[in-house]
Amino acid sequence: EMSEMSETSKQNVAHGLAWSYYVGYLKIVLPRVKKSMEEFSRANPNMLTCRETWKLHILIPLSCDIYDDLEKADSNIQYLTDLAETSLSRAGTKKRVYKHSLYAIRDEDNKLWHCAVEYATPLQSLHAMSQDDCATFSREDRLEQAKLFYRTLEEILRGSRECAGTYRLVAYEESGEAETHFLSRELLWHLRQQRCEEYAVHEGTCPHGPSTTLSSTELNLQISASDLPQPLRSDGF
């Protein structure tokens, strides 16, 4: 009976996607991110000057609209290179390759900020489901599931010791108006915020976030806690 209720409300979709993304990908790659960034920094000492940004920045657009090429999404985002790849044998595939791309983000003063960025790929599944008649998955369902995906992933990562300090979730809701440099602005705010966290004593008050940046508190108000699936463990992790 509970399974049928969960299936009807589609609670299991985002919850399952978040856990799969963590167990099958993030738990593997995130513990290796700082080492890759450190290796790149030794070879390019003038690029990654702020250690607090040595993380994988994971884009979570609640619209689930994902660009395969970030440079096409925003011309102020330029691909630089790939960080050192990790090769592991997984599920029968020999030497499966995992790697992250490093980008330069140009700000309003033409200054370049560097960081590793990628989209949360499970959002592509949510978008595809909303386009497929067989899934009976509406755009409203997609938005709610995207919010639930973010909240679930945030909770999972918060309880992960292996991934602590290796990621930055960048959840946002695009405005209705077309903005050429919307995505770079979102990333720049997060990079500045992290720089502020590292040099708070020297730089004073941190900047306020843009109106489109969403916190988990805001999402808590948008989704009823009673609709959330229960945690797999009694300690809440």
Side-chain angles (χ1 to χ4, degrees):
E1 207 171 294
M2 290 182 65
S3 176
E4 187 175 338
M5 289 172 61
S6 178
E7 194 71 37
T8 302
S9 62
K10 301 181 177 68
Q11 292 173 8
N12 56 329
V13 176
H15 190 69
L17 285 174
W19 271 104
S20 177
Y21 185 47
Y22 168 70
V23 175
Y25 179 66
L26 294 181
K27 193 175 181 181
I28 298 169
V29 302
L30 287 181
R32 297 170 169 82
V33 166
K34 282 193 180 291
K35 182 180 178 181
S36 297
M37 301 288 274
E38 190 171 358
E39 290 175 0
F40 181 86
S41 181
R42 282 199 298 266
N44 305 271
N46 296 323
M47 284 192 179
L48 302 176
T49 56
C50 179
R51 280 182 169 268
E52 194 63 31
T53 63
W54 291 10
K55 302 170 183 176
L56 180 62
H57 295 72
I58 303 171
L59 300 175
I60 305 179
L62 297 185
S63 66
C64 297
D65 288 332
I66 290 178
Y67 287 84
D68 290 327
D69 190 342
L70 283 173
E71 292 172 309
K72 290 182 179 178
D74 190 322
S75 60
N76 278 349
I77 302 176
Q78 301 171 353
Y79 167 78
L80 286 181
T81 186
D82 291 329
L83 296 174
E85 63 185 37
T86 297
S87 179
L88 299 172
S89 293
R90 294 279 296 174
T93 300
K94 293 290 187 181
K95 298 181 179 179
R96 177 170 291 178
V97 174
Y98 299 88
K99 65 180 180 179
H100 309 292
S101 296
L102 193 69
Y103 288 87
I105 318 297
R106 188 178 303 277
D107 68 13
E108 57 278 3
D109 297 320
N110 248 9
K111 176 184 175 182
L112 296 179
W113 300 66
H114 303 91
C115 64
V117 187
E118 62 186 51
Y119 283 101
T121 52
L123 295 180
Q124 287 182 314
S125 297
L126 288 179
H127 191 276
M129 287 176 68
S130 69
Q131 303 295 315
D132 195 319
D133 293 337
C134 296
T136 61
F137 199 78
S138 68
R139 290 187 178 183
E140 291 73 20
D141 290 331
R142 184 181 72 193
L143 177 60
E144 290 305 308
Q145 290 300 306
K147 294 174 184 176
L148 182 54
F149 171 82
Y150 167 61
R151 288 184 55 198
T152 305
L153 183 62
E154 184 183 45
E155 183 179 351
I156 293 170
L157 288 171
R158 191 184 296 126
S160 174
R161 293 181 181 179
E162 303 100 315
C163 299
T166 63
Y167 66 92
R168 180 88 171 191
L169 298 182
V170 183
Y172 57 90
E173 190 166 13
E174 291 128 319
S175 62
E177 300 177 2
E179 296 183 48
T180 308
H181 302 303
F182 172 85
L183 189 54
S184 60
R185 193 187 71 217
E186 291 291 323
L187 283 168
L188 284 168
W189 180 82
H190 280 272
L191 292 172
R192 285 167 174 153
Q193 185 75 6
Q194 291 170 90
R195 179 182 174 86
C196 184
E197 290 166 5
E198 182 170 0
Y199 302 109
V201 176
H202 304 289
E203 300 203 4
T205 305
C206 292
H208 296 290
S211 58
T212 51
T213 298
L214 300 177
S215 66
S216 57
T217 304
E218 290 173 305
L219 292 180
N220 281 334
L221 297 175
Q222 295 169 329
I223 305 176
S224 170
S226 63
D227 293 335
L228 293 177
Q230 295 300 309
L232 298 179
R233 290 165 46 184
S234 60
D235 58 6
F237 294 139

